Amino acid sequence: MNILVINCGSSSLKFQLINSENEETIAKGICERIGISGSQLVYLAIGKEKTITEKPMEDHLIAVKMVLNSLTDPVNGVLKSLDEIGAVGHRLVHGGEKFNKSALITEDVISATKECNDLAPLHNPANLIGVAACLELMPETPMVGVFDTAFHQTMPEEAYLYGIPYEYYEKYKIRRYGFHGTSHAYVSKRAADFYQTEIDSARTLADLKIIVCHLGNGASITAVKNGKSIDTSMGFTPLEGLIMGTRSGDIDPAIIEFLSHKENKTIEEITAILNKKSGAVGLQGGGSSDFRDVTADYLAGKPAAVRAIKAYVYRIAKYIGAYTAAMNGVDIICFTAGIGENNSVVRSEVCKYLGYLGIKIDDIANEIIGSEAIISTIDSKVTVMSVPTDEELMIARDTKAIVGGDCGSGPQ
């Protein structure tokens, strides 16, 4: 069965067509600047030349139409008709407490997702626009929603509650939700399979303690015990946790009021600064958020980049230590996503803090870029890995399972 995976942003639409039987990508691409001048579709059919189509896209419906036309194009297409798409898997960012797993999209599921819009006002509405566009163009094709927050719904109460009046949880569901769940689910499972093949054939995901470090421009760390998320660094929003490309991560909440008075700015303006002008950018005094640039400057000894990398690495190491304590040990530490998979400097610097765990890094193995590898030495007491994430494949797997009847559906 061919599954079309859709990831809609406010002005973009990423897509991938996957053969769910052999899990190979058939075609992929992105629609950029939807509703903005300069719209274009970047399309790649595997084995063919990449094409770029510049054409106005007033809304996501037009973008989806362009994607479907490209997939069925007589020259560069990969399908004879849309009937060859067996199902569509949609990335949905926030399912709140309503969804602890992926779900077949129905009117009830759409309504329940809309009720979570206040929790993700920049993401959920855009995701649902993509759902609506696909439903209009392919009304007979089953659709599945895969929620970023679902994997973390196994966190215990002591991990997800904040130390604020409990009534605010009861009234507004203010709690830690966590994000990047699709990535953390995929990587933890893949890491366990890799560990079983390379290290200990007797141990499976069900009895391993894994810490997944999803390090991209947005970043989060999750403690996965016996296959379940028991804690994660992002919280009520993706702003909590690690220092990121442009996000501050953890701060004293009193800083918001303090800055508001000192800078004569509204809470909304301060929040925008914490989301868009902080993190690595802020620590450099306005430098790049691309860690390839930051790392190059760090290696060159530029003080702003040294400051940013040291703070970034230190925060990651602190969370690893905390989650080791939360699980009473750790068997595997995984690095994934753009920085985690490709930045040997960050991996090395993080692991320098972890000698107390008996971790030893193989400097040659650590030079790996974008591939699956064990980067710790044979005598390291904890196995450290680089494991490329594949959120689209995880969405396709969930979609196949649900359309095939292996999973339940609907809000919990």
Side-chain angles (χ1 to χ4, degrees):
M1 176 170 61
N2 294 326
I3 294 175
L4 178 61
V5 176
I6 296 286
N7 180 356
C8 260
S10 58
S11 62
S12 67
L13 186 158
K14 296 178 183 178
F15 66 93
Q16 198 165 138
L17 185 68
I18 296 173
N19 180 326
S20 66
E21 304 306 320
N22 59 22
E23 298 194 336
E24 292 183 357
T25 297
I26 302 168
K28 61 182 179 180
I30 182 171
C31 295
E32 300 174 304
R33 299 179 64 84
I34 299 170
I36 306 171
S37 62
S39 305
Q40 66 175 20
L41 164 64
V42 180
Y43 171 79
L44 175 65
I46 303 305
K48 298 183 181 181
E49 292 292 322
K50 179 171 68 176
T51 63
I52 299 177
T53 305
E54 296 181 356
K55 183 179 179 180
M57 299 182 214
E58 289 83 3
D59 53 36
H60 288 73
L61 181 62
I62 292 174
V64 172
K65 284 181 180 178
M66 287 183 64
V67 169
L68 298 180
N69 288 340
S70 295
L71 292 172
T72 55
D73 181 77
V75 177
N76 290 312
V78 292
L79 303 173
K80 292 181 180 178
S81 78
L82 296 180
D83 292 338
E84 294 180 51
I85 298 176
V88 180
H90 291 269
R91 180 202 179 207
L92 300 177
V93 167
H94 216 306
E97 293 184 326
K98 299 177 183 295
F99 297 94
N100 61 14
K101 57 187 173 184
S102 302
L104 188 69
I105 291 177
T106 63
E107 287 301 322
D108 287 343
V109 167
I110 291 172
S111 296
T113 305
K114 285 180 179 178
E115 291 174 9
C116 300
N117 282 2
D118 283 351
L119 300 174
L122 298 179
H123 296 90
N124 269 26
N127 299 157
L128 290 170
I129 287 171
V131 171
C134 288
L135 285 171
E136 181 172 337
L137 296 170
M138 295 182 285
E140 302 302 318
T141 304
M143 313 249 169
V144 170
V146 180
F147 296 86
D148 274 6
T149 52
F151 182 61
H152 301 302
Q153 283 297 300
T154 52
M155 283 191 291
E157 186 178 61
E158 60 268 25
Y160 70 69
L161 285 179
Y162 290 113
I164 60 176
Y166 189 68
E167 65 181 289
Y168 297 141
Y169 167 68
E170 293 179 305
K171 289 165 67 175
Y172 308 119
K173 298 302 178 185
I174 296 176
R175 51 159 286 178
R176 172 174 281 104
Y177 288 101
F179 300 87
H180 296 143
T182 306
S183 176
H184 287 294
Y186 174 85
V187 172
S188 56
K189 184 179 186 306
R190 180 58 207 144
D193 291 344
F194 193 28
Y195 183 92
Q196 188 177 29
T197 300
E198 300 293 331
I199 304 296
D200 187 345
S201 61
R203 302 188 70 187
T204 66
L205 181 65
D207 59 8
L208 287 167
K209 299 171 182 177
I210 304 171
I211 295 175
V212 178
C213 304
H214 177 107
L215 307 179
N217 198 269
S220 63
I221 296 182
T222 295
V224 182
K225 186 176 182 180
N226 306 332
K228 296 181 179 180
S229 170
I230 66 158
D231 205 348
T232 191
S233 59
M234 284 181 169
F236 182 64
T237 74
L239 184 57
E240 187 181 358
L242 301 175
I243 290 170
M244 305 177 218
T246 64
R247 294 178 187 142
S248 65
D250 297 337
I251 64 167
D252 180 340
I255 291 172
I256 296 174
E257 181 183 12
F258 182 86
L259 281 178
S260 178
H261 293 318
K262 290 291 185 181
E263 295 288 320
N264 194 28
K265 294 182 183 294
T266 65
I267 291 175
E268 289 77 14
E269 288 173 321
I270 297 299
T271 301
I273 290 170
L274 296 177
N275 272 293
K276 298 178 180 179
K277 296 182 179 180
S278 299
V281 166
L283 286 170
Q284 294 173 91
S288 173
S289 65
D290 188 322
F291 270 75
R292 290 170 294 189
D293 300 331
V294 185
T295 303
D297 288 348
Y298 169 79
L299 293 173
K302 295 184 179 180
V306 171
R307 180 171 60 238
I309 289 289
K310 282 188 172 181
Y312 178 74
V313 163
Y314 180 71
R315 191 68 63 84
I316 295 168
K318 280 179 64 177
Y319 265 98
I320 290 173
Y323 289 164
T324 300
M327 295 191 294
N328 195 23
V330 61
D331 300 302
I332 303 168
I333 296 173
C334 282
F335 291 94
T336 192
I339 299 167
E341 296 167 25
N342 299 293
N343 195 313
S344 61
V345 173
V346 167
R347 293 192 300 249
S348 176
E349 293 299 313
V350 168
C351 290
K352 285 179 182 178
Y353 281 98
L354 307 179
Y356 69 95
L357 293 174
I359 287 175
K360 298 179 182 179
I361 295 300
D362 183 326
D363 292 334
I364 295 176
N366 187 42
E367 291 302 315
I368 194 75
I369 293 176
S371 298
E372 189 173 84
I374 293 173
I375 62 172
S376 51
T377 60
I378 294 175
D379 60 341
S380 179
K381 292 183 179 179
V382 176
T383 301
V384 184
M385 300 179 180
S386 169
V387 178
T389 190
D390 196 335
E391 293 170 276
E392 290 78 14
L393 178 56
M394 194 69 192
I395 291 171
R397 285 176 176 173
D398 275 17
T399 300
K400 178 185 178 183
I402 287 174
V403 170
D406 295 334
C407 294
S409 63
Q412 305 307 310

